[in-house]
Amino acid sequence: MMESWATFGADLHLDLSAGRGLRAGLTEALREAARSGRLAAGTRLPSSRSLAADLGIARNTVAEAYAELVAEGWLTARQGSGTRVAERARPRRSAAPARVRRPARGGPSYSLMPGSPDLAGFPRAAWLSAARRALTGAPNEAFGYEGDARGRVELRRALADYLARARGVYADPERVVLTAGFVHGLKLLARVLRARRVREVAVEGYGLDYHRDVLVRAGLRTRPLGVDGDGARTGELTGAAGAGGAVGAPGAVLLTPAHQFPTGAALTPARRAAAVDWARTTGGLILEDDYDGEFRYDRQPVGALQGLDPDRVVYLGTASKSLAPGLRMGWMVLPPGLLDEVLAVKGLGDRTSSALEQLTLAEFITSGAYDRHVRGMRVRYRRRRDELVAAVGGRVAVSGIAAGLHAVLDLPAGTERSVLQSAAWQDLAVCGLARFRHPEAELPARDALVVGYGTPPDSAWTPTLAALAAALP
């Protein structure tokens, strides 16, 4: 009987028709896939648990759909053989059949795009338990219109304790401001910098373009710093000595010191010290993006840069990588002299996540569930990283793998575009390193892929690795 690895989990590409119940929609989608021949006779379907996890629906819904189709004769279910598409007459085809296309899901079948965790790994049961406890103990005023512009004090206290313990951050709850994520925090800081008459912000030569866009839209220029195996070349900041915000000198610098994005380098102690010395000398600010500091694999965690000088460093973190970006939960730890200015531009009207979500995260952290979840995901992501290295080992060099959710695969010179095209033919979404290069950066030529191994669900991991291996030279 025919069996294809490309049909497991999310790779069934089912189109659940809008306006129908979940079970009816799933049943019809599977029936049509078998009727049309898109799911060939003998194809083994994923388990009800796996498909339910990928589709984000109840396992019973999948089991009931399978049972109905077995009764109709579209599927078969045998002990030890799983659920398969039944042997039926082949579908009739026209004389000149067009290539059958998979239903669109908004993108390629497989994704190794960096920047996302495995969303199927969100701790639903533990989060629900925390939400119940938070709701039970929530004060009545938490449901009102009024509130602290910094966010719920319960979460600010929980974060202050956690960040001090896990990341070495000096965090007074009074100086913690909750945001809807890193970009939200950066927008607020950009407005403050512009109000301070800052004209230029130094950024890493490799980084996210939409972070640079936030600064540019606020009226700030961006100056790229060189990046190498030791992280950003912060010594280049001293070449622009002068009062913070003076014409020609950056008034702030945006860094990812624990795990440079996307190259994966950790900023060395000497370069950390150079950045802090620059900030103290010029009055400039360091904006620290600690986007995945919890995930270290091969050595002790690299502490936050903020610990070297809490008066000159703004620490920014989020729950986007450790939990899920859909929570829209981030935070800033501000120097004392910056708090009033940030709150002035934020205001009470600039709300973030709901009070109940903030209370839930506070409960999730203080109960120890957050630490347990991070430890479990750290094991899971390390296993994926090791499997990625094994899958491409000997063909390309892999770097930036001591931490985080992505790796850099170096390619032969001049091949980045062709490899990306090959990946597209494999129906695989992946990024080239050139995508992250600042347009004005003077960096050595480097062809590479930035591979986000945290992105695929478990059911798609093996075929996604196969697609990547097929795309490499």
Side-chain angles (χ1 to χ4, degrees):
M1 288 187 291
M2 181 177 178
E3 182 172 354
S4 171
W5 52 262
T7 62
F8 279 81
D11 304 309
L12 284 174
H13 310 300
L14 299 175
D15 181 12
L16 304 188
S17 302
R20 304 187 60 133
L22 280 176
R23 186 179 67 79
L26 176 60
T27 303
E28 178 56 30
L30 286 168
R31 184 187 294 116
E32 180 57 30
R35 178 189 293 120
S36 66
R38 187 169 65 80
L39 287 181
T43 297
R44 183 173 180 173
L45 301 183
S47 69
S48 58
R49 183 188 300 276
S50 176
L51 184 57
D54 284 335
L55 296 178
I57 62 179
R59 183 182 180 185
N60 284 346
T61 300
V62 178
E64 290 169 2
Y66 278 1
E68 182 173 337
L69 293 172
V70 168
E72 293 177 4
W74 292 104
L75 304 179
T76 62
R78 295 186 180 90
Q79 186 70 29
S81 181
T83 303
R84 296 177 181 269
V85 177
E87 297 286 349
R88 303 178 64 86
R90 294 182 179 275
R92 297 180 63 181
R93 299 180 181 271
S94 61
R99 181 181 177 186
V100 177
R101 293 185 177 273
R102 294 171 175 172
R105 291 190 309 154
S109 300
Y110 313 113
S111 177
L112 288 170
M113 297 294 285
S116 177
D118 177 4
L119 301 180
F122 184 79
R124 299 176 188 235
W127 184 263
L128 180 59
S129 296
R132 286 172 174 160
R133 294 193 300 271
L135 180 59
T136 300
N140 292 335
E141 52 88 13
F143 302 101
Y145 287 111
E146 301 299 327
D148 194 318
R150 292 169 295 185
R152 292 297 307 180
V153 66
E154 296 90 342
L155 179 53
R156 291 189 282 115
R157 287 171 179 161
L159 284 169
D161 291 342
Y162 172 78
L163 294 173
R165 169 172 55 83
R167 303 297 301 129
V169 172
Y170 289 93
D172 183 338
E174 297 300 305
R175 293 191 285 109
V176 175
V177 175
L178 304 181
T179 68
F182 175 81
V183 169
H184 180 212
L186 186 60
K187 286 180 178 178
L188 296 174
L189 293 168
R191 291 172 60 189
V192 169
L193 291 172
R194 195 69 178 83
R196 286 187 169 193
R197 300 184 182 276
V198 169
R199 295 293 180 265
E200 187 173 71
V201 176
V203 297
E204 295 165 328
Y206 285 117
L208 289 168
D209 54 357
Y210 55 85
H211 289 176
R212 299 192 294 263
D213 289 344
V214 167
L215 299 172
V216 171
R217 290 194 192 102
L220 301 164
R221 296 188 297 270
T222 60
R223 174 188 299 185
L225 300 175
V227 174
D228 57 27
D230 292 332
R233 296 188 189 126
T234 53
E236 296 176 5
L237 290 167
T238 61
V247 175
V253 58
L254 174 61
L255 297 172
T256 51
H259 190 225
Q260 201 283 323
F261 188 86
T263 66
L267 195 64
T268 62
R271 292 190 178 182
R272 287 176 168 234
V276 171
D277 288 345
W278 164 83
R280 290 171 176 168
T281 301
T282 66
L285 283 172
I286 300 171
L287 313 182
E288 179 178 12
D289 179 6
D290 192 31
Y291 65 99
D292 65 0
E294 292 92 345
F295 296 112
R296 305 294 303 184
Y297 308 122
D298 297 327
R299 58 186 179 213
Q300 290 296 315
V302 177
L305 178 62
Q306 190 261 11
L308 294 180
D309 194 337
D311 292 336
R312 303 309 316 167
V313 181
V314 180
Y315 177 89
L316 298 103
T318 77
S320 296
K321 306 300 185 295
S322 58
L323 287 169
L327 290 179
R328 305 290 186 266
M329 199 81 73
W331 45 85
M332 297 187 289
V333 182
L334 300 171
L338 200 63
L339 178 62
D340 289 342
E341 294 171 80
V342 169
L343 294 181
V345 300
K346 187 174 188 291
L348 282 173
D350 188 354
R351 298 290 184 178
T352 55
S353 54
S354 75
L356 183 55
E357 287 175 328
Q358 293 178 35
L359 291 170
T360 299
L361 181 56
E363 173 64 26
F364 197 72
I365 293 172
T366 56
S367 69
Y370 186 79
D371 284 292
R372 290 191 294 273
H373 171 70
V374 168
R375 285 195 298 269
M377 296 305 291
R378 191 182 293 136
V379 171
R380 186 172 178 178
Y381 290 140
R382 177 169 183 166
R383 181 174 64 249
R384 284 195 178 186
R385 182 206 65 172
D386 293 345
E387 290 170 351
L388 168 66
V389 173
V392 303
R395 300 175 63 182
V396 294
V398 185
S399 60
I401 59 174
L405 308 180
H406 71 274
V408 178
L409 277 56
D410 280 291
L411 303 171
T415 64
E416 184 175 311
R417 286 190 179 183
S418 63
V419 172
L420 288 174
Q421 181 61 57
S422 179
W425 281 108
Q426 298 297 325
D427 214 10
L428 170 68
V430 67
C431 278
L433 182 62
R435 173 174 177 173
F436 302 102
R437 184 176 180 137
H438 191 292
E440 299 173 15
E442 296 181 0
L443 297 167
R446 184 180 181 186
D447 288 75
L449 297 182
V450 181
V451 175
Y453 53 82
T455 305
D458 281 346
S459 58
W461 175 237
T462 298
T464 300
L465 272 186
L468 174 64
L472 293 175

